[in-house]
Amino acid sequence: LVLLLGGSGSPRAPAAPRRPRAEEQGPAGERAPRGRASYEGYEAAKKHLGAVSALSKQYWQYLACKVWQEGCEEKEEQREPAPSPGWSLPLVGQDYLEILSAWYCSFGKCCETGDCRIVNNITGLEADLSEQLHGQHLAKEVVIRAVQGFLQSPQPQKALVLSFHGWSGTGKNFVARMVAGHLYRDGLRSDCVRVFISLLHFPHHKYLDSYKAQLQRQLSETLQLCRQSLFIFDEAEKLHSSLLDAIRPFMAPYGNEGQADQQRSIFLFLSNLGGNTINEVALDFWRAGRAREEISMEFLEQRLRRELQEPAENSYAHSHLLRENLIDFLVPFLPLEFHHVKLCARDAFLARGLPFSEATLDEVARTMVFVPKEEKLFSAQGCKSVPQRINYFLP
């Protein structure tokens, strides 16, 4: 700032001392004493640099208060007006300091809530889902439309609740991470995003009462901190039904009109439930010679909902989520075929910057286990172990 403000292009900057011309000399043609001229120039430069230094401190205090606001009021009252070299703070650099403080906020927190790090990049989310999520035309469409419509709604009636279903490795966790990464600058590390894994966070049923109180407290704290929150429940089928009922009030319709403006929340449940039903539908379409892209959301979601409502040993059937229609969409993830596994292998090579060929991708895909036994159509693990398997094909 000292270098920039002290430049010759600064507005109203004092001109540098100049030597007197011949017509300004004394009547006898005598010049002013050389030492006196040098001294006056030195004093002028010293005064100018002092003013620039004081103004630089003023700029720094302004920037510091934009980023670290604690104690700024007291400092503002105690601060003495700095000498000005001919220009004021708003005239020269306030706009630039606003840009600088905004740039700082892109790397660290500078507000009491997480709102300054909410980006809601729906365009990027749609592009990445189209390029990196393979074989899931239903999941792509539902996730984009549901999330975009919820965020653009002026007054949503309730939290957005999506339940992802399908075999392991079909992309449920991948999509959840992608949603977090495009809605929040810090992704899963954001204070506005909470991830719960059933067997990790709630392993023992004898502590259910303690788990319920802890879970409700964590959800409340996140909602108070952030205007927009994202909650991800992995292995949701292993959650006890009482835990699902404990978070039911957070997914229920909003109690007042202003609550939708003050806070919005998205719940993502990831479950392997319904995977067999989804695979049976995909297999029937293949045997009938129909493309998997012909599978409609309406047809598959109805069958999936019927399975989840059957009395069985799963948390969904015993909770209020389905009975009270708190889940907005049951999102099916279809089983992955051979060419989808090849695309996953390609992405894994590209992510590590490694060379590959079409033959290499075929070799990686052939190492996976495919079912049913007769058709060998669907990858039993989806793409889950593909990034590890490419290590065996490196030169």
Side-chain angles (χ1 to χ4, degrees):
L1 289 174
V2 171
L3 293 176
L4 291 174
L5 297 176
S8 59
S10 301
R12 298 198 301 274
R18 58 182 179 86
R19 297 185 62 180
R21 299 177 183 176
E23 56 271 18
E24 296 176 353
Q25 299 174 5
E30 298 179 355
R31 299 181 181 180
R34 187 171 184 178
R36 180 180 177 184
S38 300
Y39 176 77
E40 291 176 353
Y42 167 77
E43 287 296 325
K46 180 180 178 182
K47 182 178 179 181
H48 178 69
L49 290 176
V52 169
S53 176
L55 189 59
S56 297
K57 292 179 181 179
Q58 188 178 354
Y59 271 92
W60 168 249
Q61 290 174 355
Y62 178 83
L63 175 61
C65 286
K66 293 291 293 183
V67 177
W68 306 284
Q69 299 179 0
E70 295 81 358
C72 282
E73 294 79 5
E74 293 80 0
K75 294 180 181 178
E76 187 71 24
E77 294 176 358
Q78 298 173 2
R79 189 174 60 193
E80 298 180 357
S84 173
W87 60 91
S88 60
L89 177 65
L91 180 61
V92 176
Q94 187 164 351
D95 292 339
Y96 298 102
L97 290 179
E98 295 284 353
I99 297 173
L100 184 58
S101 61
W103 172 80
Y104 175 87
C105 290
S106 68
F107 293 95
K109 285 190 175 180
C110 58
C111 56
E112 295 180 356
T113 70
D115 294 351
C116 61
R117 303 186 66 76
I118 296 176
V119 292
N120 290 343
N121 183 11
I122 299 299
T123 302
L125 176 61
E126 184 175 11
D128 283 353
L129 286 177
S130 299
E131 295 176 2
Q132 303 178 32
L133 182 65
H134 307 300
Q136 307 297 349
H137 67 285
L138 294 177
K140 291 178 184 178
E141 180 180 5
V142 174
V143 170
I144 289 296
R145 288 191 177 185
V147 174
Q148 185 177 26
F150 177 75
L151 296 179
Q152 292 180 350
S153 175
Q155 287 188 341
Q157 300 299 315
K158 59 183 291 294
L160 175 63
V161 184
L162 305 179
S163 188
F164 296 171
H165 296 270
W167 268 7
S168 177
T170 52
K172 300 185 298 295
N173 274 283
F174 182 72
V175 173
R177 292 196 303 270
M178 196 173 291
V179 169
H182 285 85
L183 297 189
Y184 303 90
R185 192 183 302 277
D186 300 320
L188 294 177
R189 298 188 303 274
S190 172
D191 291 338
C192 299
V193 178
R194 299 300 297 264
V195 180
F196 302 95
I197 304 175
S198 300
L199 295 183
L200 177 63
H201 295 96
F202 319 107
H204 306 294
H205 286 180
K206 61 181 179 180
Y207 300 126
L208 279 177
D209 291 339
S210 176
Y211 292 154
K212 289 166 60 177
Q214 175 186 351
L215 179 58
Q216 290 178 333
R217 184 180 68 254
Q218 291 174 333
L219 295 183
S220 298
E221 290 175 352
T222 305
L223 289 173
Q224 291 175 2
L225 174 68
C226 304
R227 178 179 52 85
Q228 175 184 304
S229 305
L230 173 64
F231 304 105
I232 302 173
F233 292 85
D234 197 3
E235 300 176 344
E237 75 278 3
K238 299 172 185 176
L239 276 174
H240 196 275
S241 58
S242 62
L243 291 177
L244 288 176
D245 289 337
I247 61 179
R248 167 183 164 275
F250 299 94
M251 297 181 288
Y254 294 129
N256 55 73
E257 296 181 358
Q259 187 175 358
D261 296 329
Q262 297 171 6
Q263 55 181 224
R264 300 186 183 210
S265 53
I266 301 175
F267 288 81
L268 302 181
F269 293 96
L270 284 53
S271 172
N272 292 337
L273 285 176
N276 292 334
T277 297
I278 297 172
N279 294 354
E280 289 174 3
V281 172
L283 184 59
D284 290 341
F285 270 70
W286 180 82
R287 287 172 174 170
R290 302 175 63 182
R292 61 192 282 139
E293 286 73 21
E294 296 182 32
I295 302 176
S296 67
M297 182 67 184
E298 294 76 15
F299 174 74
L300 192 49
E301 188 180 21
Q302 290 177 1
R303 296 190 57 172
L304 185 57
R305 188 176 292 271
R306 284 199 301 268
E307 179 182 342
L308 296 180
Q309 289 176 335
E310 292 178 358
E313 293 300 322
N314 72 75
S315 55
Y316 283 83
H318 297 280
S319 69
H320 292 81
L321 298 188
L322 293 174
R323 291 197 296 270
E324 298 183 8
N325 295 317
L326 296 180
I327 298 179
D328 298 297
F329 294 97
L330 298 175
V331 185
F333 282 72
L334 302 173
L336 300 182
E337 300 177 8
F338 187 87
H339 67 283
H340 299 135
V341 177
K342 287 180 59 178
L343 292 174
C344 292
R346 181 205 63 184
D347 293 344
F349 277 106
L350 291 174
R352 296 174 59 178
L354 299 173
F356 63 91
S357 63
E358 195 69 21
T360 304
L361 300 182
D362 286 331
E363 292 181 23
V364 174
R366 279 196 290 267
T367 64
M368 307 292 287
V369 177
F370 288 84
V371 294
K373 185 177 181 180
E374 297 80 12
E375 292 87 352
K376 293 186 176 181
L377 180 62
F378 304 132
S379 171
Q381 296 176 285
C383 285
K384 200 163 193 176
S385 63
V386 167
Q388 288 75 28
R389 290 177 181 263
I390 66 174
N391 295 323
Y392 294 97
F393 299 91
L394 300 180

